Amino acid sequence: MEEGDIHMTIDYAFIENKFYIRKAAPLQPPLWSSPAAELLQPAVMKDFLELFAQRIKALELPVAAVYFGSWLGFLALGQQYAMSAGNTSLDLSLTNLEIMLQEHNGHTIMTFNLGAGGETSAPENACERTAWLDSSLEALYGCTLRPLLEAAAEAGGAEIGQLWGQFPTKFNYYMAYWEAEIADEALLGRVREDYRYLREEFPAEMFGRKKNPLDVKIRWIEDLKEPGKQMRMKNACCMYYRTEGGYYCYTCPRMKEEERAERREKARATAMV
């Protein structure tokens, strides 16, 4: 992100580019689309997951559910960006959201089209802003993401915790990215504080969990190619290894350490050739 990418108003081009959330209809017809609210119907969700599984070459239906959870993480990131960078919350309600599958450079991607619903600006008063932040997060996590994730887990036969488990990996990546790029100290402070509030103070029951799934400890492993450098392990397996031709990611928590060391050795040997 170059300086200027994060503004006091929402940069919708940035949101579309990074988080696949758009206000305008796509130029090319989607492969599939549905109002988000309709996906709460078990039959609709099952049909969607079966199609999605085919598109991503999943070997079993739970993989499609986990991938769906990962894509929904972009909705959470887009809203976090809007609230922290623009002091504005998007209308990501189920009735204002259309979910699409599209072909992009030979891959299937998911995009999120916003309807005519308006935005809600944050109040200037700090206490009132906290209440606004809480209300915006409740609308997103309690009323949009939780119902969609629970419906996907049920229809896809997946563990709901694994779907929520895709979120921290995305958040940790983007938080590190933003912290490295934001020059404005006041803005950086707000980004950090809003994320801290989400992790540490936003109630677990809004996720339907006993513990806030974003409040996790980052685990570090040796970098794949650079000795002495550390990189973050994924919080949960993304299930890529259960797709056609797939394998464990180097940062997968399911990989045994001896396998990771072997992968590291091979990668470094290849780099020296």
Side-chain angles (χ1 to χ4, degrees), residues 12 21-24 90-92 96-98 112-116:
Y12 274 102
I21 302 170
R22 58 157 62 98
K23 296 186 77 173
L90 307 173
D91 182 355
L92 298 181
N96 195 53
L97 202 60
E98 186 173 12
F112 308 96
N113 264 44
L114 300 177

Side-chain angles (χ1 to χ4, degrees), residues 6 8 33 41 49-50 107 112 116 134 176 204 213 248-249 270:
I6 288 187
M8 296 301 289
S33 68
Q41 301 176 38
L49 291 177
E50 289 175 346
H107 299 282
F112 308 96
D134 200 56
Y248 284 133
C249 305
T270 302

Side-chain angles (χ1 to χ4, degrees), residues 123-176:
E124 293 185 10
N125 178 275
C127 291
E128 292 178 359
R129 186 182 185 277
T130 299
W132 164 85
L133 184 66
D134 200 56
S135 176
S136 300
L137 292 173
E138 181 177 342
L140 174 64
Y141 287 93
C143 301
T144 295
L145 294 177
R146 177 183 172 184
L148 285 172
L149 289 172
E150 290 179 347
E154 180 68 24
E159 167 56 47
I160 184 65
Q162 190 164 6
L163 274 65
W164 280 119
Q166 305 305 308
F167 283 53
T169 299
K170 277 184 161 56
F171 267 93
N172 289 332
Y173 171 81
Y174 274 97
M175 284 302 298

Side-chain angles (χ1 to χ4, degrees), residues 53-233:
Q54 292 175 11
R55 299 297 307 184
I56 63 175
K57 298 182 179 181
L59 300 179
E60 54 193 8
L61 202 57
V63 178
V66 173
Y67 268 55
F68 181 51
S70 181
W71 277 101
L72 288 182
F74 285 114
L75 278 181
L77 283 165
Q79 184 71 299
Q80 197 75 15
Y81 162 83
M83 292 187 300
S84 293
N87 252 340
T88 303
S89 63
L90 307 173
D91 182 355
L92 298 181
S93 60
L94 291 170
T95 55
N96 195 53
L97 202 60
E98 186 173 12
I99 299 178
M100 299 181 175
L101 294 181
Q102 292 182 271
E103 187 81 23
H104 180 71
N105 294 334
H107 299 282
T108 298
I109 66 169
M110 194 172 295
T111 60
F112 308 96
N113 264 44
L114 300 177
E119 304 161 354
T120 306
S121 298
E124 293 185 10
N125 178 275
C127 291
E128 292 178 359
R129 186 182 185 277
T130 299
W132 164 85
L133 184 66
D134 200 56
S135 176
S136 300
L137 292 173
E138 181 177 342
L140 174 64
Y141 287 93
C143 301
T144 295
L145 294 177
R146 177 183 172 184
L148 285 172
L149 289 172
E150 290 179 347
E154 180 68 24
E159 167 56 47
I160 184 65
Q162 190 164 6
L163 274 65
W164 280 119
Q166 305 305 308
F167 283 53
T169 299
K170 277 184 161 56
F171 267 93
N172 289 332
Y173 171 81
Y174 274 97
M175 284 302 298
Y177 179 56
W178 290 341
E179 289 196 3
E181 298 296 332
I182 297 173
D184 186 311
E185 286 297 323
L187 179 55
L188 180 57
R190 189 167 71 207
V191 168
R192 287 171 171 164
E193 174 57 24
D194 286 352
Y195 183 45
R196 185 207 64 77
Y197 182 86
L198 172 62
R199 285 194 333 270
E200 299 178 12
E201 295 193 40
F202 193 60
E205 53 264 30
M206 286 298 169
F207 301 91
R209 309 294 291 165
K210 292 182 179 180
K211 182 179 181 294
N212 183 323
L214 287 165
D215 187 12
V216 300
K217 182 179 180 180
I218 298 175
R219 291 180 288 175
W220 297 89
I221 55 176
E222 189 175 347
D223 188 84
L224 179 62
K225 296 182 179 180
E226 295 186 42
K229 185 179 179 181
Q230 296 286 294
M231 64 190 303
R232 287 180 298 274
M233 186 187 294

